[in-house]
Coordinates of all heavy atoms in Angstrom, one line a residue:
M1 N -26.3 -31.8 13.6 CA -24.9 -31.5 13.4 C -24.8 -30.4 12.2 O -25.5 -30.7 11.2 CB -24.1 -32.6 13.0 CG -22.6 -32.3 13.0 SD -21.6 -33.8 12.8 CE -21.8 -34.6 14.4
S2 N -24.1 -29.4 12.4 CA -23.9 -28.4 11.4 C -22.4 -28.4 10.9 O -21.7 -29.1 11.4 CB -24.2 -27.0 11.8 OG -25.5 -26.9 12.3
V3 N -22.2 -27.7 9.7 CA -20.9 -27.6 9.2 C -20.4 -26.2 9.3 O -21.1 -25.2 9.0 CB -20.9 -28.1 7.7 CG1 -19.5 -27.8 7.1 CG2 -21.3 -29.5 7.5
C4 N -19.2 -25.9 9.8 CA -18.7 -24.6 10.0 C -18.5 -23.9 8.7 O -17.9 -24.4 7.7 CB -17.3 -24.8 10.7 SG -16.3 -23.1 10.9
D5 N -19.0 -22.7 8.7 CA -18.8 -21.9 7.4 C -17.4 -21.4 7.2 O -17.0 -21.0 6.1 CB -19.8 -20.6 7.5 CG -21.2 -21.0 7.3 OD1 -21.5 -21.9 6.5 OD2 -22.1 -20.4 7.9
G6 N -16.6 -21.4 8.2 CA -15.2 -21.0 8.1 C -14.2 -22.1 7.6 O -13.3 -21.8 6.8
C7 N -14.5 -23.5 8.0 CA -13.5 -24.4 7.6 C -14.1 -25.7 7.2 O -13.5 -26.6 6.8 CB -12.6 -24.7 8.9 SG -13.5 -25.5 10.2
G8 N -15.4 -25.8 7.2 CA -16.2 -27.0 6.8 C -16.1 -28.1 7.8 O -16.7 -29.2 7.4
N9 N -15.6 -27.9 9.0 CA -15.7 -29.0 10.0 C -17.2 -29.2 10.5 O -17.9 -28.3 10.8 CB -14.9 -28.5 11.2 CG -14.8 -29.6 12.2 OD1 -14.5 -30.7 12.0 ND2 -15.0 -29.2 13.5
P10 N -17.6 -30.5 10.4 CA -18.9 -30.8 11.0 C -18.7 -31.0 12.5 O -17.8 -31.6 13.1 CB -19.2 -32.1 10.3 CG -17.9 -32.8 10.0 CD -16.9 -31.7 9.8
S11 N -19.7 -30.3 13.2 CA -19.7 -30.4 14.7 C -21.1 -30.2 15.2 O -22.0 -29.5 14.6 CB -18.7 -29.4 15.2 OG -18.7 -29.3 16.6
D12 N -21.3 -30.6 16.5 CA -22.6 -30.3 17.1 C -22.4 -29.2 18.2 O -23.1 -28.9 19.0 CB -23.2 -31.5 17.7 CG -22.4 -32.2 18.6 OD1 -21.2 -31.8 18.9 OD2 -22.8 -33.3 19.1
R13 N -21.2 -28.6 18.2 CA -20.9 -27.5 19.1 C -20.6 -26.2 18.3 O -19.4 -25.8 18.2 CB -19.6 -27.9 19.9 CG -19.9 -29.0 20.9 CD -18.6 -29.4 21.6 NE -18.9 -30.3 22.6 CZ -18.8 -30.1 23.9 NH1 -18.4 -28.9 24.3 NH2 -19.1 -31.0 24.7
M14 N -21.6 -25.7 17.7 CA -21.5 -24.5 16.9 C -22.1 -23.3 17.5 O -23.0 -23.4 18.4 CB -22.2 -24.8 15.5 CG -21.7 -26.0 14.9 SD -20.0 -25.8 14.3 CE -20.2 -25.9 12.6
F15 N -21.8 -22.2 17.0 CA -22.5 -20.9 17.4 C -22.9 -20.2 16.1 O -22.2 -20.4 15.1 CB -21.7 -20.0 18.3 CG -20.4 -19.6 17.8 CD1 -20.3 -18.4 17.2 CD2 -19.3 -20.4 17.9 CE1 -19.1 -18.0 16.7 CE2 -18.1 -19.8 17.5 CZ -18.0 -18.7 16.8
T16 N -23.8 -19.3 16.2 CA -24.3 -18.6 15.0 C -24.0 -17.1 15.1 O -24.1 -16.5 16.2 CB -26.0 -18.7 14.9 OG1 -26.2 -20.1 14.7 CG2 -26.4 -18.0 13.7
V17 N -23.6 -16.5 14.1 CA -23.4 -15.0 14.0 C -24.2 -14.5 12.9 O -24.2 -14.9 11.8 CB -21.9 -14.8 13.7 CG1 -21.6 -13.3 13.5 CG2 -21.0 -15.4 14.7
Q18 N -25.0 -13.4 13.3 CA -25.8 -12.6 12.4 C -25.1 -11.3 12.3 O -24.9 -10.6 13.2 CB -27.2 -12.5 12.8 CG -28.0 -11.8 11.8 CD -29.5 -11.7 12.1 OE1 -29.9 -12.3 13.2 NE2 -30.3 -11.1 11.4
T19 N -24.8 -10.8 10.9 CA -24.1 -9.6 10.8 C -25.1 -8.5 10.7 O -26.3 -8.7 10.6 CB -23.3 -9.6 9.5 OG1 -24.2 -9.9 8.5 CG2 -22.2 -10.8 9.6
Y20 N -24.6 -7.2 10.7 CA -25.4 -6.0 10.6 C -26.3 -6.0 9.3 O -27.3 -5.4 9.2 CB -24.6 -4.8 10.7 CG -23.7 -4.5 9.5 CD1 -24.3 -3.6 8.5 CD2 -22.5 -5.1 9.2 CE1 -23.5 -3.3 7.3 CE2 -21.8 -4.9 8.1 CZ -22.3 -4.0 7.1 OH -21.6 -3.8 6.0
D21 N -25.8 -6.7 8.3 CA -26.6 -6.7 7.0 C -27.3 -8.0 6.8 O -27.6 -8.5 5.7 CB -25.7 -6.4 5.8 CG -24.4 -7.4 5.8 OD1 -24.3 -8.2 6.7 OD2 -23.7 -7.2 4.8
D22 N -27.5 -8.7 7.9 CA -28.5 -9.9 8.0 C -27.9 -11.1 7.4 O -28.6 -12.1 7.0 CB -29.8 -9.6 7.5 CG -30.6 -8.7 8.4 OD1 -30.4 -8.8 9.6 OD2 -31.5 -7.9 7.9
R23 N -26.6 -11.2 7.2 CA -26.0 -12.5 6.7 C -25.8 -13.4 8.0 O -25.6 -12.9 9.1 CB -24.5 -12.3 6.2 CG -24.6 -11.5 4.8 CD -23.3 -11.2 4.2 NE -22.5 -10.4 5.2 CZ -21.3 -10.5 5.3 NH1 -20.5 -11.3 4.7 NH2 -20.7 -9.6 6.1
V24 N -26.1 -14.7 7.9 CA -26.0 -15.5 9.0 C -25.0 -16.7 8.7 O -25.1 -17.3 7.7 CB -27.5 -16.1 9.4 CG1 -27.4 -17.1 10.5 CG2 -28.4 -15.1 9.7
F25 N -24.1 -16.9 9.7 CA -23.1 -17.9 9.5 C -23.2 -18.8 10.8 O -23.6 -18.4 11.9 CB -21.7 -17.2 9.5 CG -21.5 -16.3 8.3 CD1 -21.7 -15.0 8.5 CD2 -21.0 -16.9 7.2 CE1 -21.5 -14.1 7.4 CE2 -20.8 -16.0 6.1 CZ -21.0 -14.6 6.2
V26 N -22.6 -20.1 10.6 CA -22.4 -20.9 11.8 C -20.9 -21.3 11.8 O -20.3 -21.4 10.8 CB -23.3 -22.2 11.8 CG1 -24.7 -21.9 12.0 CG2 -23.0 -23.0 10.5
F27 N -20.4 -21.3 13.0 CA -18.9 -21.5 13.2 C -18.7 -22.5 14.4 O -19.5 -22.5 15.3 CB -18.2 -20.2 13.5 CG -18.3 -19.2 12.3 CD1 -19.1 -18.0 12.5 CD2 -17.5 -19.4 11.2 CE1 -19.2 -17.2 11.4 CE2 -17.6 -18.5 10.2 CZ -18.4 -17.3 10.3
D28 N -17.5 -23.1 14.3 CA -17.0 -23.9 15.4 C -16.0 -23.1 16.3 O -15.6 -23.7 17.3 CB -16.5 -25.2 14.9 CG -15.3 -25.1 14.0 OD1 -14.9 -24.0 13.6 OD2 -14.9 -26.1 13.5
S29 N -15.5 -22.0 15.8 CA -14.5 -21.3 16.6 C -14.5 -19.8 16.2 O -14.9 -19.4 15.1 CB -13.1 -21.8 16.3 OG -12.6 -21.4 15.1
V30 N -14.2 -18.9 17.2 CA -14.1 -17.5 16.9 C -12.9 -17.2 15.9 O -13.1 -16.3 15.0 CB -13.7 -16.7 18.2 CG1 -13.5 -15.3 17.9 CG2 -14.9 -16.8 19.2
E31 N -11.9 -18.0 15.9 CA -10.8 -17.8 14.9 C -11.3 -18.0 13.5 O -10.9 -17.2 12.6 CB -9.7 -18.9 15.2 CG -8.5 -18.8 14.2 CD -7.6 -19.9 14.5 OE1 -7.9 -20.9 15.2 OE2 -6.4 -19.8 14.0
R32 N -12.2 -18.9 13.2 CA -12.7 -19.1 11.9 C -13.8 -18.1 11.5 O -14.0 -17.7 10.4 CB -13.3 -20.6 11.7 CG -12.3 -21.6 11.9 CD -11.3 -21.6 10.8 NE -10.4 -22.8 10.9 CZ -9.4 -23.0 10.0 NH1 -9.2 -22.2 9.1 NH2 -8.7 -24.1 10.2
A33 N -14.5 -17.6 12.6 CA -15.6 -16.5 12.4 C -15.0 -15.3 12.0 O -15.4 -14.6 11.0 CB -16.4 -16.4 13.6
A34 N -13.9 -14.8 12.6 CA -13.3 -13.4 12.4 C -13.1 -13.1 10.9 O -13.5 -12.0 10.5 CB -12.0 -13.2 13.2
P35 N -12.4 -13.9 10.0 CA -12.1 -13.4 8.8 C -13.4 -13.2 7.9 O -13.4 -12.5 6.9 CB -11.2 -14.6 8.2 CG -10.7 -15.3 9.3 CD -11.7 -15.2 10.4
L36 N -14.4 -14.0 8.3 CA -15.7 -13.9 7.5 C -16.6 -12.8 7.8 O -17.4 -12.3 7.1 CB -16.4 -15.2 7.4 CG -15.8 -16.3 6.7 CD1 -16.6 -17.6 6.7 CD2 -15.4 -15.9 5.3
V37 N -16.6 -12.4 9.2 CA -17.6 -11.4 9.7 C -17.0 -10.0 10.1 O -17.6 -9.1 10.1 CB -18.4 -12.0 10.8 CG1 -19.2 -13.2 10.3 CG2 -17.6 -12.3 12.1
A38 N -15.7 -10.0 10.4 CA -15.0 -8.8 10.8 C -14.6 -7.9 9.5 O -14.3 -8.5 8.5 CB -13.7 -9.0 11.7
P39 N -14.8 -6.6 9.7 CA -14.4 -5.7 8.5 C -12.9 -5.8 8.3 O -12.1 -5.9 9.2 CB -14.8 -4.3 9.0 CG -15.6 -4.5 10.2 CD -15.3 -5.8 10.8
S40 N -12.5 -5.8 7.0 CA -11.1 -5.7 6.6 C -10.6 -4.3 6.8 O -11.3 -3.3 6.6 CB -10.9 -6.2 5.1 OG -11.4 -7.4 4.9
C41 N -9.4 -4.2 7.3 CA -8.7 -2.9 7.4 C -8.4 -2.3 6.1 O -8.0 -3.0 5.2 CB -7.5 -3.0 8.3 SG -6.5 -1.6 8.4
A42 N -8.7 -1.0 5.9 CA -8.5 -0.3 4.6 C -7.1 -0.3 4.2 O -6.8 0.0 3.1 CB -9.1 1.2 4.7
E43 N -6.2 -0.4 5.2 CA -4.7 -0.4 4.9 C -4.1 -1.5 4.3 O -3.2 -1.5 3.5 CB -3.9 0.1 6.2 CG -2.4 0.0 6.1 CD -1.9 1.0 5.0 OE1 -2.6 1.8 4.5 OE2 -0.7 0.9 4.7
G44 N -4.6 -2.8 4.7 CA -4.0 -3.9 4.2 C -4.8 -5.2 4.6 O -6.0 -5.2 4.5
A45 N -4.0 -6.2 5.0 CA -4.6 -7.5 5.2 C -5.2 -7.7 6.6 O -5.6 -8.9 6.9 CB -3.7 -8.5 4.8
C46 N -5.1 -6.7 7.4 CA -5.6 -6.8 8.8 C -7.1 -7.1 8.9 O -7.8 -6.7 8.0 CB -5.3 -5.6 9.6 SG -3.6 -4.9 9.3
I47 N -7.5 -7.6 10.0 CA -8.9 -7.9 10.4 C -9.2 -6.8 11.5 O -8.5 -6.8 12.4 CB -9.3 -9.3 10.7 CG1 -8.9 -10.2 9.5 CG2 -10.7 -9.3 11.0 CD1 -9.0 -11.6 9.9
T48 N -10.3 -6.1 11.4 CA -10.6 -5.1 12.4 C -11.4 -5.9 13.5 O -12.6 -6.1 13.3 CB -11.4 -4.0 11.8 OG1 -10.7 -3.4 10.7 CG2 -11.8 -3.0 12.9
L49 N -10.7 -6.3 14.5 CA -11.3 -7.1 15.6 C -12.0 -6.3 16.7 O -12.8 -6.7 17.5 CB -10.4 -8.1 16.2 CG -10.0 -9.1 15.2 CD1 -8.9 -10.1 15.9 CD2 -11.1 -10.0 14.7
S50 N -11.5 -5.0 16.8 CA -12.1 -4.1 17.8 C -13.1 -3.2 17.1 O -13.5 -3.4 16.0 CB -10.9 -3.4 18.5 OG -10.4 -2.5 17.6
H51 N -13.4 -2.1 17.8 CA -14.4 -1.1 17.2 C -13.8 -0.5 15.9 O -14.5 -0.1 15.0 CB -14.6 0.1 18.1 CG -15.4 -0.4 19.3 ND1 -14.9 -0.7 20.6 CD2 -16.7 -0.7 19.5 CE1 -15.9 -1.2 21.4 NE2 -17.0 -1.1 20.7
G52 N -12.4 -0.4 15.8 CA -11.8 0.2 14.6 C -11.9 1.7 14.6 O -12.5 2.3 15.6
I53 N -11.4 2.3 13.6 CA -11.5 3.7 13.4 C -12.1 4.0 12.0 O -11.6 3.6 11.0 CB -10.0 4.3 13.4 CG1 -9.4 3.9 14.7 CG2 -10.0 5.8 13.2 CD1 -7.9 4.2 14.8
E54 N -13.2 4.7 12.0 CA -13.9 4.9 10.8 C -13.6 6.3 10.3 O -13.8 7.3 11.0 CB -15.4 4.8 11.0 CG -15.9 3.4 11.3 CD -17.4 3.3 11.3 OE1 -18.1 4.0 10.7 OE2 -17.9 2.5 12.2
I55 N -13.1 6.5 9.1 CA -12.8 7.8 8.6 C -13.5 7.8 7.2 O -13.0 7.1 6.2 CB -11.3 8.0 8.4 CG1 -10.7 8.0 9.8 CG2 -11.1 9.4 7.8 CD1 -9.1 8.0 9.8
G56 N -14.5 8.6 7.1 CA -15.3 8.6 5.8 C -15.9 7.1 5.7 O -16.5 6.5 6.5
D57 N -15.6 6.5 4.5 CA -16.1 5.2 4.2 C -15.1 4.1 4.6 O -15.4 3.0 4.4 CB -16.4 5.1 2.7 CG -17.6 5.9 2.2 OD1 -18.5 6.1 3.1 OD2 -17.6 6.2 1.1
A58 N -13.9 4.6 5.0 CA -12.8 3.7 5.4 C -12.8 3.2 6.8 O -13.2 4.0 7.7 CB -11.5 4.2 5.0
I59 N -12.5 1.9 7.1 CA -12.4 1.4 8.5 C -11.0 1.0 8.5 O -10.5 0.1 7.8 CB -13.4 0.3 8.7 CG1 -14.8 0.8 8.6 CG2 -13.1 -0.3 10.1 CD1 -15.9 -0.3 8.7
F60 N -10.3 1.4 9.6 CA -9.0 0.9 9.9 C -9.0 0.2 11.2 O -9.7 0.5 12.2 CB -8.0 2.2 10.0 CG -7.9 2.9 8.8 CD1 -8.7 4.1 8.5 CD2 -7.0 2.6 7.8 CE1 -8.6 4.7 7.4 CE2 -6.9 3.3 6.6 CZ -7.7 4.4 6.4
C61 N -8.1 -0.8 11.4 CA -8.1 -1.6 12.6 C -7.4 -0.9 13.8 O -7.6 -1.2 14.9 CB -7.3 -3.0 12.3 SG -5.6 -2.8 12.0
C62 N -6.6 0.1 13.5 CA -5.8 0.8 14.5 C -5.3 2.1 13.9 O -5.2 2.5 12.8 CB -4.6 -0.1 15.0 SG -3.4 -0.3 13.8
Y63 N -4.8 3.0 14.9 CA -4.2 4.3 14.5 C -2.9 4.1 13.7 O -2.7 4.9 12.7 CB -3.7 5.1 15.7 CG -4.9 5.7 16.5 CD1 -5.2 5.3 17.7 CD2 -5.4 6.9 15.9 CE1 -6.3 5.9 18.4 CE2 -6.4 7.5 16.6 CZ -6.9 7.0 17.8 OH -7.9 7.6 18.4
G64 N -2.2 3.1 13.8 CA -1.0 2.8 13.0 C -1.3 2.6 11.5 O -0.7 3.2 10.6
C65 N -2.3 1.8 11.3 CA -2.8 1.6 9.9 C -3.3 2.9 9.4 O -3.1 3.2 8.1 CB -3.9 0.5 9.8 SG -3.1 -1.1 9.8
A66 N -4.1 3.7 10.1 CA -4.7 4.9 9.6 C -3.5 5.9 9.2 O -3.5 6.6 8.2 CB -5.6 5.6 10.7
R67 N -2.5 5.9 10.0 CA -1.3 6.8 9.7 C -0.5 6.3 8.5 O -0.1 7.1 7.6 CB -0.3 6.9 10.9 CG -0.9 7.7 12.1 CD 0.2 7.9 13.1 NE -0.4 8.4 14.3 CZ -0.7 7.7 15.4 NH1 -0.4 6.4 15.4 NH2 -1.2 8.2 16.4
R68 N -0.4 5.0 8.3 CA 0.3 4.4 7.2 C -0.5 4.8 5.9 O 0.1 4.8 4.8 CB 0.5 3.0 7.3 CG 1.7 2.6 8.2 CD 2.1 1.1 8.1 NE 1.1 0.3 8.6 CZ 0.9 0.0 9.9 NH1 1.8 0.5 10.7 NH2 -0.1 -0.8 10.3
S69 N -1.8 5.0 6.0 CA -2.5 5.2 4.7 C -2.3 6.6 4.4 O -2.9 7.1 3.3 CB -4.0 4.9 5.1 OG -4.6 6.0 5.9
G70 N -1.5 7.5 5.1 CA -1.3 8.8 4.8 C -1.9 9.8 5.6 O -1.7 11.0 5.4
L71 N -2.7 9.4 6.6 CA -3.2 10.3 7.5 C -2.2 10.7 8.6 O -1.9 9.9 9.4 CB -4.5 9.8 8.1 CG -5.7 9.4 7.2 CD1 -6.7 8.7 7.9 CD2 -6.1 10.7 6.6
Q72 N -1.7 12.0 8.5 CA -0.7 12.4 9.6 C -1.5 12.9 10.9 O -1.1 12.5 12.0 CB 0.0 13.6 9.1 CG 0.8 13.2 7.8 CD 1.9 12.0 8.2 OE1 2.4 12.0 9.2 NE2 1.8 11.1 7.3
A73 N -2.7 13.4 10.7 CA -3.5 13.9 11.8 C -4.9 13.4 11.5 O -5.4 13.5 10.4 CB -3.4 15.4 12.0
L74 N -5.5 12.8 12.5 CA -6.9 12.2 12.3 C -7.8 13.4 12.2 O -7.8 14.4 12.9 CB -7.3 11.4 13.5 CG -6.5 10.1 13.6 CD1 -6.9 9.4 14.8 CD2 -6.7 9.2 12.4
P75 N -8.7 13.4 11.1 CA -9.6 14.5 10.9 C -10.6 14.6 11.9 O -10.8 13.6 12.8 CB -10.3 14.2 9.5 CG -10.1 12.8 9.4 CD -8.9 12.4 10.2
N76 N -11.4 15.7 12.0 CA -12.5 15.8 13.0 C -13.6 15.0 12.8 O -14.5 14.7 13.7 CB -13.0 17.3 13.0 CG -11.9 18.3 13.4 OD1 -11.1 17.9 14.3 ND2 -11.9 19.5 12.9
N77 N -13.9 14.4 11.6 CA -15.0 13.6 11.3 C -14.8 12.1 11.6 O -15.5 11.2 11.1 CB -15.5 13.8 9.8 CG -14.4 13.3 8.9 OD1 -13.3 13.0 9.3 ND2 -14.8 13.0 7.6
V78 N -13.9 11.7 12.5 CA -13.7 10.4 13.0 C -15.0 10.0 13.8 O -15.3 10.7 14.7 CB -12.5 10.2 13.8 CG1 -12.4 8.8 14.4 CG2 -11.2 10.6 13.0
S79 N -15.7 9.0 13.3 CA -17.0 8.8 13.9 C -16.9 7.6 15.0 O -17.8 7.5 15.7 CB -18.0 8.3 12.8 OG -17.5 7.2 12.0
N80 N -15.8 6.8 15.0 CA -15.8 5.8 15.9 C -14.3 5.5 16.2 O -13.6 5.1 15.4 CB -16.5 4.6 15.4 CG -16.6 3.5 16.5 OD1 -16.1 3.6 17.6 ND2 -17.2 2.4 16.1
V81 N -13.9 5.7 17.4 CA -12.4 5.4 17.8 C -12.4 4.5 19.0 O -13.0 4.8 20.0 CB -11.8 6.7 18.0 CG1 -10.3 6.4 18.5 CG2 -11.7 7.6 16.8
A82 N -11.6 3.5 18.8 CA -11.5 2.6 20.0 C -10.1 1.8 19.9 O -9.6 1.7 18.8 CB -12.6 1.6 20.2
G83 N -9.7 1.3 20.9 CA -8.5 0.3 20.8 C -7.3 1.0 20.8 O -6.8 1.8 20.2
Ligands
ZN1 ZN1 -14.4 -24.2 11.8
ZN2 ZN1 -5.0 -2.5 9.9

């Protein structure tokens, strides 16, 4: 039996997530996993659950957040756009 890294719940029905920078977590639900492993949106408290939008070093969860950050038109160096 393991303990969920998101909420501390002990369970034998866990799954493991390994991040791009080799951090390893165990969780009992996707809901608890998302805040710990998904990138935070550069605009606010959102969690980037889809591919997100990368502009320079910033990651936004959606076009709306990218626009609210002051970007009226997305620049040509957008490296990843989805959602
Ligand atoms: Zn949990
Ligand atoms: Zn956002």
Side-chain angles (χ1 to χ4, degrees):
M1 184 174 295
S2 301
V3 175
C4 175
D5 286 326
C7 69
N9 180 47
S11 174
D12 56 2
R13 294 176 172 249
M14 305 293 243
F15 60 93
T16 301
V17 175
Q18 182 173 0
T19 63
Y20 72 94
D21 55 356
D22 288 330
R23 293 177 296 146
V24 177
F25 300 92
V26 293
F27 297 105
D28 58 1
S29 71
V30 172
E31 179 184 15
R32 295 297 186 176
L36 289 183
V37 301
S40 298
C41 174
E43 171 61 10
C46 316
I47 299 170
T48 304
L49 294 177
S50 66
H51 291 101
I53 301 167
E54 293 182 35
I55 302 173
D57 292 333
I59 299 175
F60 298 94
C61 68
C62 64
Y63 281 108
C65 281
R67 287 191 193 99
R68 278 192 296 279
S69 75
L71 297 172
Q72 297 303 313
L74 295 176
N76 292 330
N77 64 345
V78 174
S79 58
N80 188 1
V81 176

